[in-house]
Amino acid sequence: EKAKIATECLGFILDLEMRRGRTDTLEAPLKRRRCGPSVVLLDIEGTTTPISFVKDKLFPYAASAVTSWVETAGDELAEVARDYEKQCKEDQVPFNAAAPKEEVLRLTKEWIAKDRKVPALKDLQGKLWKHGYERGELKGEMFEDTPAAMAEWVATGKRVAIFSSGSREAQRLIFKYTQQGDLTCFLSAYFDPKSAQASKQEAKAYAEIALSLGIEATEGLFCTDVLGEAQAAGKAGWKTVLLKRPGNAPLPPQHGFREATSLLDV
């Protein structure tokens, strides 16, 4: 009986060691694959997407669509008007609350022309673009390497997130309705200046994003085409790569950051 128990115990120990060995074998490649940053944070305009798509298609679409939107928006108009009035107070300029349609229409066109990155405008643009995407009038444009890079990062255990001046809804839409299909399956989170509690050129924003993602800033990689954003992210502790894409503004020499022409190379 004792010999039987000893044999069973030995068998159990051998089986346990074999299982542990198989687990180690399975875990080892995963650990190797997960080297490098645990999160890749992406800018959109000039990084994943051509600047021309934003400037020549998205902005003109919103400037045109707002004319019909103010006539049919109903209760949404009052909400947007409140946001616009709040922004005007911050800008110390007048807002005629008695004529919300006219003011929202006027300011939307004016702010788009000036490329203002205020939350009130970005939120409304997201609403306008949503209709365009859902009706098939808009298709998000991506650089050819963007979907492949995102798929590769996710396959190797990394999370991919977005940080753009556009609203989070606008970010989701541009990746959901792309010419290459729905890419939102690769994305874990979306951040805009409102949710990051600071502009893209403030280190505070990147510290807040790292906290929201549950990582140390040093575990993240931020990809952008704007030097001021790279400097802010770097100050917060993020690793940073500057993208050189067709149509992007030239970068100054000796800026101190790594450069890449493709997301597959970061």
Side-chain angles (χ1 to χ4, degrees):
E1 182 67 27
K2 289 182 179 179
K4 181 180 178 183
I5 293 173
T7 301
E8 289 176 349
C9 288
L10 181 60
F12 174 78
I13 292 170
L14 288 172
D15 181 63
L16 183 62
E17 288 300 315
M18 289 176 66
R19 288 174 183 271
R20 187 175 296 160
R22 284 199 297 270
T23 301
D24 292 343
T25 301
L26 289 170
E27 286 179 349
L30 186 58
K31 289 176 181 176
R32 287 197 296 270
R33 283 163 47 196
R34 284 184 178 171
C35 63
S38 61
V39 172
V40 181
L41 183 66
L42 299 171
D43 168 53
I44 294 179
E45 185 180 342
T47 299
T48 66
T49 299
I51 287 178
S52 59
F53 173 67
V54 179
K55 302 291 187 186
D56 300 339
K57 295 185 180 179
L58 286 184
F59 285 0
Y61 183 91
S64 174
V66 69
T67 302
S68 58
W69 182 86
V70 295
E71 299 298 333
T72 59
D75 293 339
E76 277 190 304
L77 176 63
E79 179 184 346
V80 170
R82 283 194 297 271
D83 291 340
Y84 273 45
E85 184 174 12
K86 180 181 177 182
Q87 183 61 50
C88 285
K89 286 181 180 178
E90 291 181 17
D91 296 341
Q92 296 184 330
V93 296
F95 179 90
N96 185 1
K101 287 184 183 179
E102 291 77 6
E103 289 292 78
V104 168
L105 184 61
R106 175 182 67 82
L107 289 168
T108 298
K109 292 179 180 292
E110 178 183 312
W111 290 348
I112 288 175
K114 293 180 178 179
D115 193 16
R116 297 218 42 201
K117 301 185 184 299
V118 294
L121 174 63
K122 295 302 179 182
D123 287 347
L124 177 55
Q125 284 177 320
K127 298 177 189 293
L128 299 172
W129 292 332
K130 185 174 189 290
H131 291 294
Y133 284 117
E134 291 178 344
R135 293 171 185 170
E137 297 169 354
L138 290 172
K139 282 285 185 183
E141 293 181 14
M142 301 286 147
F143 286 111
E144 186 177 350
D145 55 274
T146 298
M150 292 168 67
E152 182 178 303
W153 291 325
V154 171
T156 55
K158 296 175 174 62
R159 285 182 289 165
V160 184
I162 302 298
F163 185 26
S164 172
S165 58
S167 69
R168 288 183 293 176
E169 175 66 3
Q171 296 172 29
R172 186 186 69 82
L173 290 168
I174 199 172
F175 288 100
K176 181 175 178 62
Y177 297 97
T178 81
Q179 294 173 331
Q180 294 95 334
D182 186 352
L183 303 180
T184 56
C185 59
F186 299 121
L187 297 171
S188 299
Y190 305 89
F191 297 94
D192 58 11
K194 186 189 294 185
S195 58
Q197 302 179 33
S199 78
K200 294 183 71 182
Q201 300 207 21
E202 294 179 79
K204 176 185 175 183
Y206 302 90
E208 183 65 30
I209 289 172
L211 184 64
S212 297
L213 292 170
I215 64 168
E216 296 294 330
T218 52
E219 298 177 71
L221 172 67
F222 177 52
C223 301
T224 181
D225 64 305
V226 179
L227 179 57
E229 296 174 4
Q231 291 170 332
K235 186 176 180 180
W238 288 71
K239 300 176 183 69
T240 306
V241 176
L242 281 166
L243 272 295
K244 298 179 72 174
R245 300 288 207 178
N248 286 6
L251 295 167
Q254 300 179 334
H255 51 66
F257 293 95
R258 188 158 62 90
E259 296 180 356
T261 57
S262 166
L263 289 174
L264 290 168
D265 298 331
V266 305

